[in-house]
Amino acid sequence: MSNSSSIKNKVEKKKKQDAKQYNRHTLKILKGNFAAAEGAKLCRTGFIPAYPITPQTTIVEALSDMVGRGEMDATFINMDSEHSVFAAAMGASLAGERVFTATSGQGLFYAHEVLHAIAHFRLPIVICNVGRPSIPWNIWSDQTDSLSQRDTGWVQFYGESSQEVLDDIIQGYFIAEKLDLPVMIVLDAFYQSHTSENVWVPDINLIDEFLPAKEKTGSEIDVSNPKSYGGLIPTEHYEKFNIKFWQDINKVEDLTNEIGKKFGDLFGREYSAVEAVNIKPETKMILVTLSSITTTARGVLKQHPEVGLLKLRLFKPFPKKSVLKILNHVSNNCIIVNIERNFLGDNEGAIMHEMKRALYGSSFKMYDVYTGLGGKDVPPSTIEKIIRKTFNAPEDVVWIDFE
Amino acid sequence: MEPSNKFLIQEEEVYSGALSCRGCGWALLVRHLSSILGKETVYVVPASCFSIIAGPYPMNELRGTIVHTIFAAAPATATGIRTALDRQGKKDVIVAVLAGDGGTFDIGFQSLSGAATRGENILYVCNNNGAYMNTGIQTSTATPYGAVTTTNPNSNIKKTWPKDLMGIIAAHNIPYAATASLAFMEDLRMKVKKAKETEGFRLLMIDGPCPPGHKTEPDKSIYVARQAVESKLFPLYEVEHHNYRINYFPSEYVPVKECLRVQGRFKHLFKDDSEEILNDIQQHTNDYWDRLRLLESHSFQVKN
Ligand SMILES: Cc1ncc(C[n+]2csc(CCOP(=O)(O)OP(=O)(O)O)c2C)c(N)n1
Ligand code: SF4
Ligand SMILES: [Mg+2]
C-alpha cells in the first residue's frame, strides 16, 4: 500500500505523543465511544435517556453499566425512541439536571423537532453524535446527519481523536452552561467510535476544578415559584428571544478559544476553535477538514511543505473570526480545498457553504471535494489525489474517487 | 343524595380569564383538576386547545407550573421532569400531563405507551373531545363512528370505530385508569383524588365537551356529557391493574340516538337512510358495555 510512509509517520507521532505524560491523568486504551462515556461520567451527568442505534450504541451501553455498578450517580432510562430521548432530556434539563445522551444518523434526524425545542428553550444539554448518513441504509462514517442539523441552534464540535472527544465533552458542558446553549460533540463512525486509541483520562478532581457543579440559573422548574414555559408567544414578543439567542451564540467562538486555553493550563492539552497546520504566507493550498480525516491529512502534509491544513473543531456557530485571522497572513493566490464527508442535496457541501460565507469579499479561489461518503475509506492516497487534482486540473466541485 | 350547598371547589387554583370557547370541557376540567392537585404541580401540556387556553406568554391561567411541550412527546417530557424532581428529593410533587385525544390516541401514543410501560410516576389526563379541535376539527382515531369533521365532511363521514384507548392502557397493567365525565362531577373529583394518591402511571380519560367541534350550543355541554353516560356511549369505570369496576349503572334505557341527536356533527344520521348506521352505533355501544360487565365480573373472580 502506498500509505506505508504515512503510517510510519503516524506511529512516530503517536510515540512522541505517548511520551508526553499528563499529571493527574490515567492512560487508558479506549475506543472513541468509551472515551465519550468516560467524559459523560466525569462531568457528573445526572440523567441519561437512551435509545440504541449503531454506531452509537456502545456509548449508552457503557453508561448504563457505569450507573448499574454505582460508578456514577445518574438515572439511566431506556426510552421508546430518540424523539422521546430528547424530549426527556429536555424535561430533566428544564428542571435543572445535567443531562447527556448519544445518538447517530436516523436517531438525530428523528429528533429534529426536539433539537429545535431544546435549543430555543436554551437548555445546556451535551450529546455525542456518531456520524452516519440516511437511507439507503448505511451505518458508516459520514457527517451528513449532524451537518444537516447545523441550523437547529446547537453548538457543534467535531473531534479529531478519542482524546479530543473526551476533552470536548468537558469543555462542552462548560460552554453549554455558561451560555445556556446545547452542545453536540461529533465523532466519526468506526474510524473513531470503534477504534482503540491511547486516551489520557483526567482525574475527577481535575474536572471539578474546571467544571463546577451545575449552578442554578433561576429559570429551572421550581414548584414553589411557578412559571410557564414555552407558551404561545405573540409576535410582538417573539423576536426578543431570538435576539438574545443571537447575542449568545455570537459569544461561542471567543469562549471556545478562551476556555480551550484555560483547559490547556489545567489539563496540559490546549484547544481552539480552529487549528492551523503548516499555514504560512507562501502556502499554496489549504485543506479544510473535520474530524478524523484531519489526522490522515496531517500525515500527508509531511510530503507537501506547500500545503497547509485548516482543521475546524468548532463548526457551529462557524468560527469566522478565527478562520479569517489565519487566512489574513496567507497570500491571495493560495487555493482553499474543502473536504466534504457530507451530502446535503446541493451542489456544494456544508464546509464550502460556511467557508464561502466566512470569506465573502476575499479573493481566495475555493474548491469543493466530496470524499468518504457512507464510510468509504479516505486513505493518504486520496488526500494526495486531492492535492494533485486541485493543483493540476481543478474543478469547482469534484467527487474525487469517482473519476 | 342530599342536595349540597357546599361549593366543590374551595380554593381556585386557576386565574380568571381562560381563553376557551364557551362551554369548553378543557376549562371546567382544569379548574376542578387543579383545585385538587394544588399549586405544587407541574403540568406538561402538548399542543392542544389547552395550549391556547392556558394563556399566551407571559400569562399562565394555572397557579401551578406549566411546561408547554411538543405534540408527540408529553409523556417523555414528563419523564424527564419526573426524573429530575425525584433526583432533587421532590417525590411528592405531582407531574400531570394534560393532553387532547389527538395527542393521546395518535401522535403521542408511542410516548404514552413507553411511559406507562416504564411505570413512570405521572398522572396523565386526556381531554377527549373526539377530534383535533385546536387545528379546526379534524379527524383523530378518537373521533366517533359516523361523525363529521373537516377531514371527514358530509360527503365522506367517518366510518371507522375509535381506538379503544382504555383497553390498550389497561393492557399496560397500570395501577389506575378511569373514565370520568364533567356531568358527574363528584365521581370525577373522586377519581382525580384517587389518581393523585396513587403512585405510578395513572390515566384519566375525560369526555370533553366542545361546542364548535360537536356543533352544539354551549349551554348543552353538560347535558350532552350526561346523555353520553346515560346512553352508555361513555361508560364510567375504573381499572386497577387488570381489575375493572363500573361506577355508574344508568337506571333507564337511553338509546344512543338521544345523545347523538343534539350534536350537529351527527345531524346527517337523522336524515332518511341512516338508520343502519345508528343501529350499528347502538350495537357497538351495547357490545362494549357487555364486555365491560364481563371484565368487571371476571375482575372480582380474580380478586376473590
Ligand atoms: C408535530 C405536530 N404536528 C401537528 C401539530 C398541529 N397541531 C397543534 S394542536 C393540534 C390538535 C390537537 O388535537 P387534540 O390533541 O385532540 O387536542 P384538542 O385541540 O382537541 O384539545 C394539532 C394537529 C403540531 N403542533 N405538532
Ligand atoms: S374548540 Fe372546543 S376544545 Fe377548543 S377551546 Fe373551543 S370548545 Fe374548547
Ligand atoms: Mg381533541
Side-chain angles (χ1 to χ4, degrees), chain B residues 177-240:
Chain B
T179 61
S181 167
L182 294 167
F184 291 76
M185 199 49 94
E186 274 160 5
D187 176 79
L188 183 144
R189 291 181 65 90
M190 176 275 285
K191 287 169 176 170
V192 174
K193 281 179 195 152
K194 210 158 159 180
K196 181 186 179 185
E197 274 142 33
T198 305
E199 206 183 310
F201 195 86
R202 304 87 89 191
L203 182 138
L204 298 175
M205 177 69 63
I206 319 295
D207 183 21
C210 170
H214 301 166
K215 306 283 177 265
T216 50
E217 288 304 315
D219 65 356
K220 287 283 180 297
S221 285
I222 299 303
Y223 172 76
V224 176
R226 182 172 299 115
Q227 289 295 75
V229 175
E230 296 290 353
S231 66
K232 300 175 181 140
L233 271 167
F234 191 84
L236 298 180
Y237 61 99
E238 296 168 290
V239 192
E240 291 172 28

Coordinates of all heavy atoms in Angstrom, one line a residue, chain B residues 177-240:
Chain B
A177 N -56.5 3.5 36.1 CA -57.0 4.2 34.9 C -58.5 4.4 35.1 O -59.2 3.5 35.7 CB -56.8 3.4 33.6
A178 N -59.1 5.5 34.7 CA -60.5 5.7 34.9 C -61.1 6.6 33.8 O -60.4 7.5 33.3 CB -60.8 6.3 36.3
T179 N -62.4 6.4 33.5 CA -63.1 7.4 32.7 C -63.8 8.3 33.6 O -64.2 7.9 34.7 CB -64.1 6.7 31.7 OG1 -65.0 6.0 32.5 CG2 -63.4 5.7 30.8
A180 N -64.1 9.5 33.2 CA -64.8 10.5 34.0 C -65.5 11.5 33.1 O -65.1 11.8 32.0 CB -63.9 11.2 35.0
S181 N -66.6 12.0 33.7 CA -67.5 12.9 32.9 C -67.7 14.2 33.7 O -67.9 14.2 34.9 CB -68.8 12.2 32.6 OG -69.7 13.2 32.1
L182 N -67.7 15.3 33.0 CA -68.0 16.6 33.7 C -69.4 16.7 34.1 O -69.8 17.6 34.9 CB -67.6 17.7 32.7 CG -66.2 17.8 32.4 CD1 -65.9 18.8 31.2 CD2 -65.3 18.3 33.6
A183 N -70.3 15.8 33.7 CA -71.7 15.8 34.2 C -71.8 15.0 35.5 O -72.9 15.0 36.1 CB -72.6 15.2 33.1
F184 N -70.8 14.3 35.9 CA -70.8 13.5 37.1 C -69.6 14.0 37.9 O -68.6 13.3 38.1 CB -70.7 12.0 36.8 CG -71.9 11.5 36.1 CD1 -72.2 11.8 34.8 CD2 -72.8 10.7 36.8 CE1 -73.3 11.3 34.2 CE2 -74.0 10.3 36.2 CZ -74.2 10.5 34.9
M185 N -69.7 15.2 38.4 CA -68.6 15.9 39.0 C -68.0 15.3 40.2 O -66.8 15.2 40.5 CB -68.9 17.4 39.2 CG -67.8 18.3 39.4 SD -66.5 18.1 38.1 CE -67.1 19.3 36.9
E186 N -68.9 14.7 41.1 CA -68.4 14.1 42.3 C -67.6 12.8 42.0 O -66.6 12.6 42.6 CB -69.5 13.9 43.3 CG -69.7 15.1 44.1 CD -71.1 15.3 44.8 OE1 -71.9 14.3 44.7 OE2 -71.3 16.4 45.4
D187 N -68.1 12.1 41.0 CA -67.4 10.9 40.6 C -66.0 11.3 40.0 O -65.0 10.7 40.3 CB -68.2 10.2 39.5 CG -67.5 9.0 38.9 OD1 -67.5 7.9 39.6 OD2 -67.0 9.1 37.8
L188 N -66.0 12.4 39.2 CA -64.8 12.9 38.6 C -63.8 13.3 39.7 O -62.6 12.9 39.6 CB -65.1 14.1 37.6 CG -63.9 14.6 36.9 CD1 -64.3 15.1 35.4 CD2 -63.3 15.8 37.6
R189 N -64.3 14.1 40.6 CA -63.4 14.6 41.7 C -62.8 13.4 42.5 O -61.7 13.4 42.9 CB -64.1 15.6 42.5 CG -64.4 16.9 41.8 CD -65.0 18.0 42.6 NE -64.2 18.4 43.7 CZ -63.3 19.4 43.7 NH1 -63.2 20.1 42.6 NH2 -62.6 19.7 44.7
M190 N -63.7 12.4 42.7 CA -63.2 11.2 43.5 C -62.1 10.6 42.7 O -61.1 10.2 43.3 CB -64.4 10.3 43.7 CG -64.1 9.0 44.3 SD -63.5 7.7 43.2 CE -65.0 7.2 42.3
K191 N -62.2 10.5 41.4 CA -61.2 9.8 40.6 C -59.9 10.6 40.6 O -58.8 10.1 40.6 CB -61.8 9.5 39.2 CG -62.8 8.4 39.3 CD -63.5 8.2 38.0 CE -64.5 7.0 38.1 NZ -65.4 6.9 37.0
V192 N -60.1 11.9 40.5 CA -58.8 12.8 40.5 C -58.1 12.6 41.8 O -56.9 12.4 41.8 CB -59.2 14.3 40.3 CG1 -57.9 15.1 40.4 CG2 -59.8 14.5 38.9
K193 N -58.8 12.5 42.9 CA -58.2 12.4 44.2 C -57.5 11.0 44.3 O -56.4 10.9 44.8 CB -59.3 12.5 45.3 CG -59.6 13.9 45.6 CD -60.7 14.0 46.7 CE -61.2 15.4 46.7 NZ -62.6 15.5 47.2
K194 N -58.2 10.0 43.8 CA -57.6 8.7 43.8 C -56.4 8.6 43.0 O -55.3 8.0 43.4 CB -58.7 7.7 43.3 CG -58.6 6.3 43.8 CD -59.9 5.6 43.6 CE -59.8 4.1 43.7 NZ -61.1 3.5 43.5
A195 N -56.5 9.2 41.8 CA -55.3 9.2 40.9 C -54.1 10.0 41.6 O -53.0 9.6 41.5 CB -55.7 9.9 39.6
K196 N -54.5 11.1 42.3 CA -53.5 11.9 42.9 C -52.7 11.0 44.0 O -51.5 11.1 44.1 CB -54.1 13.1 43.6 CG -53.1 14.0 44.3 CD -53.8 15.1 45.1 CE -52.8 16.0 45.8 NZ -53.4 17.0 46.6
E197 N -53.5 10.2 44.7 CA -52.9 9.5 45.8 C -52.2 8.2 45.3 O -51.5 7.6 46.1 CB -54.0 9.1 46.8 CG -54.1 10.3 47.8 CD -55.5 10.6 48.2 OE1 -56.3 9.6 48.3 OE2 -55.8 11.8 48.5
T198 N -52.5 7.8 44.1 CA -51.8 6.5 43.6 C -50.4 6.8 43.1 O -50.2 7.9 42.5 CB -52.7 5.9 42.5 OG1 -54.0 5.8 43.0 CG2 -52.2 4.6 42.0
E199 N -49.5 5.9 43.3 CA -48.2 6.1 42.8 C -48.0 5.3 41.5 O -48.6 4.2 41.4 CB -47.1 5.7 43.8 CG -45.8 6.4 43.6 CD -44.7 6.0 44.6 OE1 -45.0 6.0 45.8 OE2 -43.7 5.7 44.1
G200 N -47.3 5.8 40.6 CA -47.1 5.0 39.3 C -47.8 5.8 38.2 O -48.2 6.9 38.3
F201 N -48.0 5.1 37.1 CA -48.6 5.7 35.9 C -50.1 5.6 36.1 O -50.7 4.6 36.2 CB -48.1 5.1 34.6 CG -48.5 5.9 33.4 CD1 -47.6 6.9 33.0 CD2 -49.7 5.7 32.8 CE1 -47.9 7.7 31.9 CE2 -50.0 6.5 31.7 CZ -49.1 7.5 31.2
R202 N -50.8 6.8 36.1 CA -52.3 6.8 36.2 C -52.8 7.6 35.0 O -52.2 8.5 34.5 CB -52.7 7.6 37.4 CG -52.2 7.1 38.7 CD -50.8 7.7 39.0 NE -50.9 8.9 39.8 CZ -49.9 9.8 40.0 NH1 -48.7 9.5 39.5 NH2 -50.0 10.9 40.7
L203 N -54.0 7.1 34.5 CA -54.6 7.8 33.4 C -56.0 8.1 33.6 O -56.8 7.2 34.0 CB -54.4 7.0 32.1 CG -54.9 7.6 30.8 CD1 -54.0 7.4 29.6 CD2 -56.3 7.1 30.4
L204 N -56.4 9.3 33.4 CA -57.9 9.7 33.4 C -58.3 10.1 32.0 O -57.7 10.9 31.4 CB -58.1 10.8 34.4 CG -57.7 10.6 35.8 CD1 -57.9 11.9 36.7 CD2 -58.6 9.5 36.5
M205 N -59.4 9.4 31.6 CA -60.0 9.8 30.3 C -61.3 10.5 30.5 O -62.2 10.0 31.0 CB -60.3 8.5 29.5 CG -60.9 8.6 28.2 SD -59.8 9.3 27.0 CE -58.5 8.1 26.9
I206 N -61.3 11.8 30.1 CA -62.4 12.7 30.3 C -63.2 12.9 29.0 O -62.5 13.2 28.0 CB -62.0 14.0 30.9 CG1 -60.9 13.9 31.9 CG2 -63.2 14.8 31.4 CD1 -61.2 13.2 33.2
D207 N -64.5 12.7 29.0 CA -65.3 13.1 27.9 C -65.4 14.6 27.8 O -65.9 15.2 28.6 CB -66.7 12.4 28.1 CG -67.6 12.7 26.8 OD1 -67.0 12.9 25.7 OD2 -68.8 12.6 27.0
G208 N -64.8 15.1 26.7 CA -64.6 16.6 26.7 C -65.6 17.3 25.8 O -65.5 17.2 24.5
P209 N -66.5 18.0 26.3 CA -67.5 18.8 25.5 C -66.7 19.9 24.7 O -65.7 20.4 25.2 CB -68.4 19.5 26.5 CG -68.2 18.7 27.8 CD -66.8 18.2 27.8
C210 N -67.2 20.1 23.5 CA -66.6 21.1 22.6 C -67.7 21.6 21.7 O -67.9 21.0 20.6 CB -65.5 20.5 21.8 SG -64.8 21.5 20.5
P211 N -68.3 22.7 22.1 CA -69.4 23.2 21.2 C -69.1 23.4 19.8 O -69.8 23.0 18.9 CB -69.8 24.5 22.0 CG -69.4 24.2 23.4 CD -68.2 23.5 23.3
P212 N -68.0 24.1 19.4 CA -67.8 24.3 18.0 C -67.5 23.0 17.2 O -67.9 22.8 16.1 CB -66.5 25.2 17.9 CG -66.3 25.7 19.3 CD -66.9 24.8 20.2
G213 N -66.8 22.1 17.9 CA -66.4 20.8 17.3 C -67.6 19.8 17.2 O -67.7 19.0 16.2
H214 N -68.4 19.8 18.2 CA -69.5 18.9 18.2 C -70.8 19.5 17.6 O -71.8 18.8 17.5 CB -69.8 18.4 19.6 CG -68.6 17.7 20.2 ND1 -68.5 17.5 21.6 CD2 -67.4 17.3 19.7 CE1 -67.3 16.9 21.8 NE2 -66.7 16.8 20.7
K215 N -70.7 20.8 17.3 CA -71.9 21.5 16.8 C -73.0 21.5 17.7 O -74.1 20.9 17.5 CB -72.3 21.0 15.4 CG -71.1 20.9 14.4 CD -70.8 22.3 13.8 CE -69.6 22.2 12.8 NZ -68.4 22.6 13.5
T216 N -72.7 22.0 18.9 CA -73.7 22.0 20.0 C -73.8 23.4 20.5 O -72.9 24.2 20.3 CB -73.4 21.1 21.2 OG1 -72.0 21.3 21.5 CG2 -73.5 19.6 20.8
E217 N -74.9 23.7 21.3 CA -74.9 25.0 22.0 C -74.1 24.9 23.2 O -74.1 23.9 23.9 CB -76.4 25.4 22.3 CG -77.2 25.7 21.1 CD -76.6 26.9 20.3 OE1 -76.2 27.9 20.9 OE2 -76.5 26.8 19.0
P218 N -73.4 26.0 23.6 CA -72.6 26.0 24.8 C -73.3 25.5 26.1 O -72.8 24.8 26.9 CB -72.0 27.4 24.9 CG -72.1 27.9 23.6 CD -73.2 27.3 22.9
D219 N -74.6 25.9 26.1 CA -75.3 25.6 27.4 C -75.8 24.1 27.4 O -76.4 23.7 28.3 CB -76.5 26.5 27.6 CG -77.6 26.4 26.5 OD1 -77.3 25.7 25.5 OD2 -78.6 27.1 26.6
K220 N -75.5 23.4 26.3 CA -75.8 22.0 26.2 C -74.6 21.1 26.6 O -74.8 19.8 26.6 CB -76.3 21.6 24.8 CG -77.7 22.2 24.5 CD -78.8 21.3 25.2 CE -80.2 21.9 24.9 NZ -80.4 23.2 25.4
S221 N -73.5 21.6 26.9 CA -72.3 20.8 27.1 C -72.5 19.8 28.2 O -72.2 18.6 28.0 CB -71.1 21.7 27.5 OG -70.6 22.4 26.4
I222 N -73.0 20.2 29.3 CA -73.2 19.2 30.4 C -74.3 18.2 30.1 O -74.2 17.0 30.4 CB -73.4 19.9 31.8 CG1 -72.2 20.9 32.1 CG2 -73.7 19.0 32.9 CD1 -70.9 20.2 32.1
Y223 N -75.3 18.7 29.4 CA -76.5 17.8 29.1 C -75.9 16.7 28.1 O -76.2 15.5 28.3 CB -77.6 18.6 28.4 CG -78.6 17.8 27.7 CD1 -79.6 17.2 28.6 CD2 -78.7 17.5 26.4 CE1 -80.6 16.3 28.0 CE2 -79.6 16.7 25.8 CZ -80.6 16.1 26.6 OH -81.5 15.3 26.1
V224 N -75.2 17.1 27.1 CA -74.6 16.1 26.2 C -73.7 15.1 26.9 O -73.8 13.9 26.7 CB -73.9 16.8 25.0 CG1 -73.3 15.7 24.1 CG2 -74.8 17.7 24.2
A225 N -72.9 15.6 27.8 CA -72.0 14.7 28.5 C -72.8 13.8 29.4 O -72.4 12.6 29.5 CB -71.1 15.6 29.4
R226 N -73.9 14.2 30.0 CA -74.7 13.3 30.8 C -75.4 12.3 30.0 O -75.4 11.1 30.3 CB -75.8 14.1 31.6 CG -76.6 13.2 32.5 CD -77.5 14.0 33.4 NE -76.8 14.8 34.3 CZ -76.9 16.1 34.4 NH1 -77.7 16.8 33.5 NH2 -76.2 16.8 35.2
Q227 N -75.9 12.7 28.8 CA -76.5 11.7 27.9 C -75.6 10.7 27.4 O -75.9 9.5 27.2 CB -77.2 12.5 26.7 CG -78.4 13.3 27.0 CD -79.5 12.5 27.5 OE1 -79.5 12.0 28.6 NE2 -80.5 12.2 26.6
A228 N -74.3 11.1 27.2 CA -73.3 10.1 26.8 C -73.1 9.0 27.8 O -72.9 7.8 27.5 CB -71.9 10.8 26.5
V229 N -73.2 9.4 29.1 CA -73.0 8.4 30.1 C -74.3 7.5 30.3 O -74.3 6.3 30.3 CB -72.7 9.0 31.5 CG1 -72.7 8.0 32.6 CG2 -71.3 9.7 31.4
E230 N -75.5 8.2 30.2 CA -76.8 7.5 30.4 C -77.0 6.6 29.2 O -77.6 5.5 29.4 CB -77.9 8.6 30.5 CG -77.9 9.5 31.7 CD -78.2 8.8 33.0 OE1 -78.6 7.6 33.0 OE2 -78.1 9.4 34.1
S231 N -76.6 6.9 28.0 CA -76.8 6.0 26.9 C -75.6 5.0 26.8 O -75.6 4.2 25.8 CB -76.8 6.9 25.6 OG -75.5 7.4 25.4
K232 N -74.7 5.0 27.7 CA -73.6 4.1 27.7 C -72.6 4.3 26.5 O -71.7 3.5 26.3 CB -74.0 2.6 27.7 CG -74.9 2.3 28.9 CD -75.4 0.9 28.8 CE -76.3 0.6 30.0 NZ -77.5 -0.2 29.7
L233 N -72.7 5.4 25.9 CA -71.7 5.8 24.9 C -70.4 6.1 25.6 O -69.3 5.8 25.0 CB -72.1 7.0 24.1 CG -73.0 6.9 22.8 CD1 -73.5 8.2 22.4 CD2 -72.2 6.2 21.7
F234 N -70.5 6.6 26.8 CA -69.3 6.9 27.5 C -69.4 6.3 29.0 O -69.8 7.1 29.9 CB -69.0 8.4 27.6 CG -67.6 8.7 28.1 CD1 -66.5 8.7 27.3 CD2 -67.5 9.1 29.5 CE1 -65.3 9.0 27.8 CE2 -66.2 9.4 30.0 CZ -65.1 9.4 29.1
P235 N -69.2 5.0 29.2 CA -69.4 4.4 30.5 C -68.4 4.9 31.5 O -67.3 5.2 31.1 CB -69.3 2.9 30.2 CG -69.1 2.7 28.8 CD -68.8 4.1 28.2
L236 N -68.8 5.0 32.7 CA -67.9 5.5 33.8 C -67.4 4.2 34.5 O -68.1 3.4 35.1 CB -68.6 6.4 34.8 CG -69.2 7.7 34.2 CD1 -69.9 8.5 35.3 CD2 -68.1 8.5 33.6
Y237 N -66.0 4.1 34.4 CA -65.4 2.9 35.1 C -64.0 3.2 35.5 O -63.4 4.1 35.0 CB -65.6 1.6 34.2 CG -64.9 1.7 32.9 CD1 -63.6 1.1 32.7 CD2 -65.5 2.3 31.8 CE1 -63.0 1.2 31.4 CE2 -64.9 2.3 30.5 CZ -63.7 1.8 30.4 OH -63.1 1.8 29.1
E238 N -63.5 2.3 36.3 CA -62.1 2.4 36.8 C -61.4 1.0 36.5 O -62.1 0.0 36.5 CB -62.0 2.6 38.3 CG -62.6 3.9 38.8 CD -62.8 3.9 40.3 OE1 -63.6 3.2 40.8 OE2 -62.0 4.6 40.9
V239 N -60.1 1.1 36.2 CA -59.3 -0.1 36.1 C -58.1 0.0 37.0 O -57.3 0.9 36.8 CB -58.8 -0.3 34.6 CG1 -58.3 -1.7 34.4 CG2 -59.9 0.0 33.6
E240 N -58.0 -1.0 37.9 CA -56.8 -1.0 38.7 C -56.0 -2.3 38.3 O -56.5 -3.4 38.5 CB -57.2 -1.1 40.2 CG -57.7 0.3 40.7 CD -58.3 0.2 42.1 OE1 -57.8 -0.6 42.9 OE2 -59.3 1.0 42.4

